[in-house]
Amino acid sequence: MVSSDETKAKIKRTPKPRGRPRSFDRESALEKAILAFWEHGYEATSVSDLTQVMDIGAPSLYAAFGDKRSLFEEAVRVYTARYASFADRALAEESTSRAAVERTLREAAAMYTDPDHPHGCLIAHAAINCTTPEVAESLRDRRNATISAFESRIQSDVATGDLPPGTDAATLARHAGAVIHGMSQQARDGASREELEALAEIAMAIWPRT
């Protein structure tokens, strides 16, 4: 018969199983990070905020995504492909720069006011009050790339006669970029899709015709 002292000693010697790290769905966690950055911007979203909304610990965040900046860069890439590719599609699919810009503004009005996610544009909003130079520069490069794509397409239309000779392609492209940026902020301020579509229509009224 085993004595109570022997039983206690056996229990004491038995090692406790180590807890296994909690697994998580990386894609789901990344989507939650996208929404957090989209809603609050880069600077205002802390690592603590991210671990809370992503429902993971800081070690898991760093292991899966690297630091906050690396996570943000990946979030922006996925956001661009998933939510903000409408300008690229319009430029690729429409026959003229005018049609491409008009479609871009119309689709921006819809996307920026979609109730299923934060309003406005993540890339525009994240740059507000951003004090991290590398992040600010990366976001600026993305915005300028869109303007450059518009300018290149406008120049092509001038060359083929779809737009009048002497059309200021750079200024016209920058005007389109300014309208898109302004639509983002107005959506965050509560403008409706219909109001932004009306704004887009006015913006296109200045487009030169042959």
Side-chain angles (χ1 to χ4, degrees):
M1 182 173 180
V2 180
S3 68
S4 60
D5 289 340
E6 290 175 333
T7 301
K8 290 178 181 179
K10 185 176 181 181
I11 293 173
K12 188 175 181 180
R13 288 194 301 269
T14 302
K16 294 182 179 180
R18 293 185 178 183
R20 296 178 62 188
R22 182 160 55 101
S23 62
F24 67 96
D25 183 332
R26 190 181 190 282
E27 289 303 312
S28 175
L30 179 58
E31 177 67 13
K32 292 173 182 177
I34 292 170
L35 297 177
F37 285 127
W38 196 346
E39 178 66 31
H40 304 292
Y42 178 75
E43 295 293 345
T45 306
S46 67
V47 171
S48 177
D49 295 330
L50 291 166
T51 57
Q52 183 174 357
V53 299
M54 297 165 76
D55 194 27
I56 60 174
S60 294
L61 186 152
Y62 292 126
F65 301 101
D67 58 13
K68 173 184 167 182
R69 180 181 162 193
S70 298
L71 171 58
F72 178 72
E73 289 173 350
E74 183 172 354
V76 169
R77 288 195 297 271
V78 174
Y79 163 84
T80 301
R82 187 173 298 166
Y83 298 102
S85 60
F86 51 86
D88 290 338
R89 289 196 306 269
L91 285 166
E93 296 171 5
E94 297 298 330
S95 60
T96 66
S97 57
R98 177 189 176 89
V101 170
E102 185 173 16
R103 172 176 162 182
T104 297
L105 297 182
R106 186 173 63 252
E107 294 190 10
M111 201 276 282
Y112 291 169
T113 58
D114 189 330
D116 290 338
H117 52 63
H119 286 181
C121 171
L122 183 156
I123 294 171
H125 181 57
I128 297 175
N129 298 325
C130 182
T131 59
T132 305
E134 297 83 1
V135 173
E137 182 179 0
S138 175
L139 294 172
R140 182 170 58 250
D141 288 346
R142 285 181 175 275
R143 296 192 302 273
N144 286 337
T146 299
I147 294 173
S148 295
F150 286 151
E151 181 178 353
S152 178
R153 187 63 183 278
I154 293 167
Q155 288 173 337
S156 177
D157 282 359
V158 173
T160 59
D162 286 321
L163 286 172
T167 296
D168 188 340
T171 300
L172 195 56
R174 193 161 294 280
H175 171 264
V179 173
I180 293 170
H181 190 91
M183 289 171 70
S184 170
Q185 186 57 54
Q186 290 196 22
R188 293 189 66 86
D189 289 342
S192 67
R193 174 177 177 175
E194 291 74 20
E195 288 171 329
L196 294 184
E197 287 175 341
L199 174 62
E201 185 176 348
I202 291 175
M204 292 307 301
I206 63 99
W207 204 269
R209 297 180 182 275
T210 53

